[in-house]
Amino acid sequence: MSNLPIEVVDMLGQTLAKVLPVTLVLALLFSVLSHFWACNPGRPWWRKRELVTDLSYWFLVPLFARVFRIALAVVGAALIFGIHDADALTAFYDNGHGVLAALPLWLQAVLALVAADFMMYWLHRMFHRGGFWKYHAIHHSSEDVDWISAARFHPVNLLLGTIGVDVVLLLSGISPVALVWLGPFNILHSAFVHANLNWTLGPFRYVLATPVFHRWHHTSREEGGDTNFAGTFPLWDILFGTFRMPADRLPGDYGIEDQASFPREFTGQLAYPFRK
């Protein structure tokens, strides 16, 4: 018999074992911070609408991402470099390859962070256009944007976004170790920019994406939903004319145009793009 079901269950267990303690720490951290510095006072995150939906994404997305990142890396190495043997594949990715692998790990991590954010900026803009929007609308459908909203992404959005970008970096020669180093920062910062906080970081608003910066992105298109596409560095928005941070007010209303007819449960949102 195939060991695949056992391997899948084992992978799920490993993923949950890593995600659960991180979730508890983030829940405590942002509960305290939003109590004192809420951008939009009102119900706390644990009483938000569609909390079960967000929790489903929060715990299942890491499992999905892990499986498809591995699958894409294997397919990419086979198609581009002609590597099919398991041992050769491990050797190819283990410590990176080519010119980039010769760089210090810290420098690889910095390059990966900047390159990934630049690619994600343009991919993000792509997902706000045409047929791609129906996948990205899932992320924007939350009316109660908070740290737990950070994982609400349709699998297709993830596959063509963060997962695909990670695989491009690995194929270019970046060591997996460098990406592992970036993992904690990416998780914390993603939760941070979605948190219900009124933080702008003052003059550093032009250096690092903040909660207020990203919350403007979750407003209606007229308010700012077609601005602030950068995930980490607002520099891209400044350079390409999509930066928005009004000095006299804070964002307040979130969601999408067809909010009333949009599915609120996890499975309904997964099916939504294919019914459009």
Side-chain angles (χ1 to χ4, degrees), residues 29 47 56 63 79 86 99 102 120 132-133 157 196 209 233 243 250 253:
L29 174 64
R47 292 178 55 196
S56 299
L63 177 63
L79 293 178
V99 177
M120 284 301 302
F132 293 103
W133 169 250
N157 196 156
N196 182 22
F233 303 117
F243 183 86
L250 294 171
D253 297 310

Side-chain angles (χ1 to χ4, degrees), residues 104-123:
L105 279 173
W106 68 266
L107 184 54
Q108 289 187 52
V110 170
L111 289 175
L113 181 63
V114 175
D117 201 51
F118 180 73
M119 287 187 280
M120 284 301 302
Y121 171 83
W122 290 107
L123 288 169

Side-chain angles (χ1 to χ4, degrees), residues 118-189:
F118 180 73
M119 287 187 280
M120 284 301 302
Y121 171 83
W122 290 107
L123 288 169
H124 197 169
R125 291 187 66 166
M126 178 189 78
F127 270 105
H128 274 249
R129 300 290 180 267
F132 293 103
W133 169 250
K134 61 186 178 182
Y135 300 103
H136 193 58
I138 279 80
H139 183 63
H140 281 261
S141 66
S142 179
E143 296 176 273
D144 301 308
V145 179
D146 215 317
W147 69 272
I148 196 69
S149 309
R152 187 189 284 211
F153 282 101
H154 193 276
V156 173
N157 196 156
L158 286 171
L159 198 58
L160 298 178
T162 53
I163 296 174
V165 166
D166 283 350
V167 173
V168 168
L169 293 173
L170 291 171
L171 288 170
S172 71
I174 294 289
S175 170
V177 177
L179 299 187
V180 170
W181 283 7
L182 290 174
F185 169 79
N186 289 333
I187 294 171
L188 177 60
H189 187 257

Side-chain angles (χ1 to χ4, degrees), residues 18-28 45 55 58-59 147-148:
K18 294 178 181 178
V19 173
L20 187 57
V22 172
T23 304
L24 294 175
V25 170
L26 293 177
L28 178 61
W45 69 266
L55 286 172
W58 188 265
F59 285 99
W147 69 272
I148 196 69

